[in-house]
Amino acid sequence: MISLCGDSRPRLSVGAQPRGVFVTARISNIRTHNLCLLGFGNVNRTLVRLLADRADELRSRYGISYRITGIASRRLGWIANPNGMDPDAYVDEKSVERALLPAKSQESNHTLSNVQDWLSAAQADILFEATSLNVRTGQPAVDHIRAALRHGAHAITANKGPIVHAYRELRDLAAAQGKKFLFESTVMDGVPIFSLFDQLPAIHLQGFHGILNSTTNVILGEMEQGLTFDQALKKAQQLGVAETDATHDIDGWDAAVKTAALVTVLMDFPIRLNEDEIEREGIRDLTPQALRNAKRDGWPFKLVCRAHRAGDSVKASVKPEKVLASSPMGKISGTSSYVYFETDIFPGLAITEENPGLYATAYGMLADFVRAVRD
Amino acid sequence: MISLCGDSRPRLSVGAQPRGVFVTARISNIRTHNLCLLGFGNVNRTLVRLLADRADELRSRYGISYRITGIASRRLGWIANPNGMDPDAYVDEKSVERALLPAKSQESNHTLSNVQDWLSAAQADILFEATSLNVRTGQPAVDHIRAALRHGAHAITANKGPIVHAYRELRDLAAAQGKKFLFESTVMDGVPIFSLFDQLPAIHLQGFHGILNSTTNVILGEMEQGLTFDQALKKAQQLGVAETDATHDIDGWDAAVKTAALVTVLMDFPIRLNEDEIEREGIRDLTPQALRNAKRDGWPFKLVCRAHRAGDSVKASVKPEKVLASSPMGKISGTSSYVYFETDIFPGLAITEENPGLYATAYGMLADFVRAVRD
């Protein structure tokens, strides 16, 4: 995941007038959707800015209007106003204090103990779930999504945990409720991987390999240039790529959870994160010397994700591998990512994402929003 | 386009039981669709085999059943039977004679002068249009698609001509009729490029570049290995990659029409094929010596397609360019293809198709069929 860093409100640069695809008729019915944001860190804050930037286009091309009726986070508790609220009022402590002066606002905050109450108070149509990953249980994100679907809202998440720990349950609950459970931002920053396969009916995915974790890719690249592990990690953090606690990335958990998400959804096999099913090895044991030697020999190390069918099962791994420097994986540097799918129709179908922009992850959620409500 | 060669009925090898994505509920309503095939060469014949191979899966996972109720070609004229027919009866002259013995069949053939009559007689729900490309006018494919939409059928084509010559008209006609006009097989053999952008709402495509013509890519590769142009062309024909008349490929027309299709649909700019809008240069002037030298220097020639916005317009080109051997385009060999999209959200989003299978183009039409009827 790419975090925002530096100026907290970068502007979008759009080089051309909005143009779209497959949209022809003038939109006559505009529907306004009530949006609720759970977790109010970089992803959902960026989503707010992106939604504002694209508001006119969503309205004119897709007939989609929105208002933000709920914000919730550990810091804020929950806040709801079914008439809509200004999310900018909640970006820092001072503005929160101002916004919640009783005389100034209909909004009031509550402890985040009952998500259902919040969604009801906010009259939520869509939940954007962007809390942190819990590798072991997927909680509390699983509960949040369950609550949203039971409430009758579409549930959109940037959190991989619920897919690995509760995909089938949440998918079936969504179907039963006639709502969508979408999660395009969980792998490759919102590049439409899951949506792509939704456009590939009756195809059979035999396996895949790729590079799906930016933090380790940046660290390995910096160490090849001569930095120590600690220096490289610090650089990745300064770049806004690595989080303060980068353990999940470094030990291969983030890549393993992404691999598991792809296996679970695209190969219809609910793989578990234990060592029997996903062999997992991080990058801690790679020395700068080993990395430099490998790079010099034309076979640099990358943290490679793999999965393939083995009988009725799927075997997967995440571990450092030497790859040919001139191969597609050998050329994935910095925050770029790559995945190569083997299918019975397309023997090799590969997607490369080069240098994702600051808005990529949030865009995946915006696109999920459009997908959820336009069908 | 990859033609079938050798054994006319290769079997699909499917390494695993059918598995799908996002499909959960048991299918209770099976709907049978009447399919009509216009043009009965490699693409539609392969489609027939692929449909038969996936029939159980289409039924059980998507609730889709079908019967073929019409076949038409210059050789056959048109044949219709709303109760369904066996397409194998029409693959060669002998079987056609047998099938059309009046005592043996309800079917009878007519001159292909009035497509509307045929579609009515066949009670068509879907037209699969797979006639040959007419670069100058897009005809008669445009008329066929118009007739299908007016009849009330979905129109699916593997023919690029109608997109370049009549995209907006056909798109709007389809919308007015509440039917789909789909053409995923026209670029990259059915890799879901157009469908991918349909999953990217409110994104802005600034330009793209890529390698989209297999025949020239195979010829250039063979000439680098020492063959003359004529030998390389013959080899491409023997491989089933190049058609008997490969002029369209060699002179860059096929690549130019694909480029124009992408520009027209994905950039919403109806670019024309004249030299002012698409600079076009084929591979005839490249000598084996020049190709070998370029390859030796690490900068091989490729027939590169490019498009970029220029003010309110789009400029495009198809011409031989030297590309770095180790770059993504430099590594596209044989029948593989590649396209790199520049968008405001994803600065670089690239799709690589390696060694497309025999079924890739027909699969694009099958996938269009599912897309058309499942929404």
Side-chain angles (χ1 to χ4, degrees):
Chain A
M1 202 187 70
I2 304 302
S3 307
L4 289 170
C5 54
D7 177 350
S8 69
R9 307 201 64 183
R11 292 290 23 177
L12 289 175
S13 83
V14 175
Q17 287 306 303
R19 289 162 196 271
V21 183
F22 300 120
V23 179
T24 74
R26 276 165 305 144
I27 301 294
S28 46
N29 296 322
I30 306 281
R31 179 158 170 225
T32 301
H33 304 269
N34 291 347
L35 311 187
C36 285
L37 311 172
L38 180 39
F40 200 50
N42 282 324
V43 171
N44 267 339
R45 288 185 197 195
T46 308
L47 174 63
V48 166
R49 294 200 293 277
L50 187 64
L51 282 165
D53 186 84
R54 304 291 149 109
D56 290 346
E57 191 173 356
L58 290 174
R59 171 182 283 269
S60 63
R61 301 197 76 92
Y62 303 95
I64 294 172
S65 180
Y66 71 92
R67 62 187 154 228
I68 291 166
T69 62
I71 298 178
S73 73
R74 270 178 302 190
R75 179 176 63 88
L76 289 168
W78 67 254
I79 302 161
N81 183 343
N83 299 315
M85 58 174 72
D86 175 12
D88 282 344
Y90 302 100
V91 292
D92 58 40
E93 294 293 343
K94 254 196 186 130
S95 50
V96 170
E97 269 172 44
R98 271 199 306 276
L100 294 179
L101 279 177
K104 283 195 64 182
S105 169
Q106 295 181 274
E107 297 146 24
S108 60
N109 62 339
H110 301 258
T111 311
L112 186 53
S113 57
N114 192 325
V115 173
Q116 204 90 40
D117 287 350
W118 171 56
L119 295 168
S120 296
Q123 298 175 17
D125 295 316
I126 318 273
L127 173 69
F128 292 101
E129 213 287 340
T131 58
S132 315
L133 173 63
N134 177 323
V135 167
R136 303 280 173 194
T137 67
Q139 291 293 13
V142 174
D143 284 341
H144 297 159
I145 292 165
R146 216 181 262 140
L149 294 170
R150 286 193 185 139
H151 167 77
H154 300 295
I156 294 169
T157 187
N159 188 323
K160 297 168 280 286
I163 303 175
V164 179
H165 290 282
Y167 171 64
R168 290 187 169 187
E169 179 213 322
L170 296 172
R171 175 195 70 180
D172 294 346
L173 176 59
Q177 295 285 83
K179 296 295 163 184
K180 295 285 171 74
F181 165 45
L182 299 173
F183 39 79
E184 197 59 273
S185 291
T186 56
V187 179
M188 281 179 105
D189 313 302
V191 169
I193 299 294
F194 297 105
S195 303
L196 181 82
F197 274 83
D198 195 35
Q199 297 295 320
L200 292 170
I203 208 166
H204 307 135
L205 178 59
Q206 315 299 351
F208 62 84
H209 63 264
I211 295 174
L212 298 173
N213 178 266
S214 296
T215 296
T216 49
N217 208 47
V218 168
I219 290 175
L220 293 176
E222 294 296 334
M223 288 174 73
E224 285 166 354
Q225 303 300 319
L227 297 195
T228 65
F229 176 85
D230 288 337
Q231 289 167 334
L233 172 58
K234 186 166 278 180
K235 184 145 182 190
Q237 285 165 335
Q238 283 163 355
L239 288 170
V241 178
E243 297 180 56
T244 314
D245 178 3
T247 312
H248 278 177
D249 295 317
I250 293 160
D251 289 337
W253 280 112
D254 177 81
V257 177
K258 284 171 175 162
T259 302
L262 292 175
V263 169
T264 300
V265 179
L266 303 182
M267 302 178 84
D268 197 24
F269 183 83
I271 200 165
R272 285 168 302 179
L273 289 174
N274 62 45
E275 285 288 328
D276 284 352
E277 302 195 13
I278 302 188
E279 190 188 343
R280 181 184 50 77
E281 186 186 325
I283 62 164
R284 282 190 203 273
D285 294 341
L286 294 171
T287 63
Q289 188 63 47
L291 290 170
R292 281 197 301 274
N293 289 348
K295 170 90 170 171
R296 181 201 61 210
D297 296 344
W299 286 84
F301 278 102
K302 296 285 177 185
L303 188 67
V304 177
C305 306
R306 290 188 186 276
H308 65 275
R309 290 199 191 279
D312 286 342
S313 177
V314 174
K315 289 288 174 199
S317 64
V318 171
K319 56 185 179 184
E321 292 183 19
K322 285 185 178 181
V323 300
L324 185 62
S326 63
S327 70
M329 286 204 290
K331 299 180 79 67
I332 296 302
S333 64
T335 60
S336 298
S337 54
Y338 175 83
V339 63
Y340 179 102
F341 294 106
E342 298 157 45
T343 76
D344 59 340
I345 298 291
F346 306 110
L349 182 59
I351 317 281
T352 310
E353 182 195 21
E354 280 189 13
N355 308 314
L358 291 175
Y359 288 84
T361 300
Y363 173 79
M365 298 185 91
L366 180 145
D368 277 344
F369 169 35
V370 176
R371 286 177 204 121
V373 303
R374 78 174 168 186
D375 290 345
Chain B
M1 200 188 72
I2 303 304
S3 306
L4 288 172
C5 53
D7 176 352
S8 69
R9 306 201 66 183
R11 293 287 32 183
L12 290 175
S13 81
V14 176
Q17 287 307 303
R19 289 161 196 269
V21 183
F22 300 120
V23 180
T24 74
R26 276 165 303 146
I27 301 294
S28 46
N29 297 321
I30 307 281
R31 186 166 161 216
T32 301
H33 304 269
N34 291 348
L35 311 186
C36 285
L37 310 171
L38 181 39
F40 199 50
N42 282 324
V43 171
N44 267 339
R45 288 185 197 196
T46 308
L47 175 64
V48 166
R49 292 200 293 279
L50 187 63
L51 282 166
D53 186 86
R54 303 291 150 110
D56 290 345
E57 191 172 356
L58 290 174
R59 173 182 281 270
S60 63
R61 300 197 75 93
Y62 303 95
I64 294 172
S65 180
Y66 72 91
R67 59 186 157 230
I68 290 166
T69 62
I71 298 177
S73 73
R74 272 178 301 190
R75 178 175 65 86
L76 289 168
W78 66 253
I79 302 162
N81 183 343
N83 299 314
M85 57 174 72
D86 174 14
D88 282 345
Y90 302 99
V91 292
D92 57 41
E93 294 294 343
K94 253 198 187 127
S95 49
V96 170
E97 271 172 43
R98 271 200 305 277
L100 294 178
L101 279 177
K104 282 197 66 180
S105 171
Q106 296 180 274
E107 296 145 25
S108 60
N109 61 338
H110 302 259
T111 311
L112 186 54
S113 57
N114 191 325
V115 173
Q116 203 91 41
D117 286 349
W118 171 56
L119 295 168
S120 296
Q123 297 176 17
D125 296 317
I126 317 274
L127 174 69
F128 292 101
E129 214 285 340
T131 58
S132 315
L133 173 63
N134 178 322
V135 166
R136 303 281 173 195
T137 67
Q139 290 293 13
V142 173
D143 284 342
H144 297 159
I145 292 165
R146 217 181 260 140
L149 293 170
R150 286 191 185 139
H151 166 79
H154 300 294
I156 294 169
T157 188
N159 188 322
K160 299 168 278 286
I163 304 175
V164 178
H165 291 282
Y167 171 64
R168 289 187 170 186
E169 179 213 323
L170 296 173
R171 175 195 69 177
D172 293 348
L173 177 58
Q177 295 286 82
K179 297 292 161 187
K180 295 284 170 76
F181 166 44
L182 299 173
F183 39 78
E184 196 59 271
S185 291
T186 55
V187 179
M188 283 180 103
D189 313 300
V191 169
I193 299 295
F194 297 106
S195 302
L196 182 81
F197 274 84
D198 195 35
Q199 296 295 319
L200 292 170
I203 208 167
H204 307 134
L205 178 58
Q206 315 299 351
F208 62 85
H209 63 263
I211 296 174
L212 297 173
N213 179 266
S214 296
T215 296
T216 48
N217 208 47
V218 168
I219 290 174
L220 293 176
E222 294 296 334
M223 289 174 73
E224 285 167 355
Q225 303 300 318
L227 297 194
T228 65
F229 176 85
D230 289 337
Q231 290 167 333
L233 172 58
K234 188 166 277 181
K235 182 144 183 189
Q237 285 164 335
Q238 284 162 352
L239 288 171
V241 178
E243 297 179 56
T244 315
D245 177 3
T247 312
H248 278 175
D249 295 318
I250 293 158
D251 289 337
W253 280 112
D254 176 82
V257 178
K258 285 172 176 164
T259 302
L262 292 176
V263 169
T264 301
V265 179
L266 302 183
M267 300 177 84
D268 197 25
F269 183 84
I271 199 165
R272 284 169 302 182
L273 289 174
N274 63 44
E275 285 287 328
D276 285 352
E277 302 195 11
I278 302 189
E279 189 187 344
R280 182 185 48 79
E281 186 186 327
I283 62 165
R284 283 191 203 274
D285 295 340
L286 294 171
T287 64
Q289 188 64 47
L291 289 171
R292 280 198 301 274
N293 289 349
K295 169 90 172 173
R296 182 202 60 210
D297 297 343
W299 286 82
F301 277 102
K302 296 285 175 185
L303 188 67
V304 176
C305 306
R306 290 187 186 274
H308 65 274
R309 292 197 188 280
D312 287 340
S313 177
V314 174
K315 288 289 174 201
S317 64
V318 170
K319 56 184 179 184
E321 293 184 19
K322 286 186 179 180
V323 301
L324 185 62
S326 63
S327 71
M329 286 204 292
K331 299 182 79 68
I332 296 301
S333 64
T335 59
S336 297
S337 54
Y338 174 84
V339 62
Y340 180 103
F341 294 107
E342 298 157 47
T343 76
D344 58 341
I345 298 289
F346 305 111
L349 182 60
I351 317 280
T352 311
E353 181 194 21
E354 280 190 12
N355 308 312
L358 290 175
Y359 288 85
T361 300
Y363 174 79
M365 299 185 90
L366 179 146
D368 276 345
F369 169 36
V370 176
R371 286 177 204 120
V373 303
R374 78 173 169 187
D375 292 346

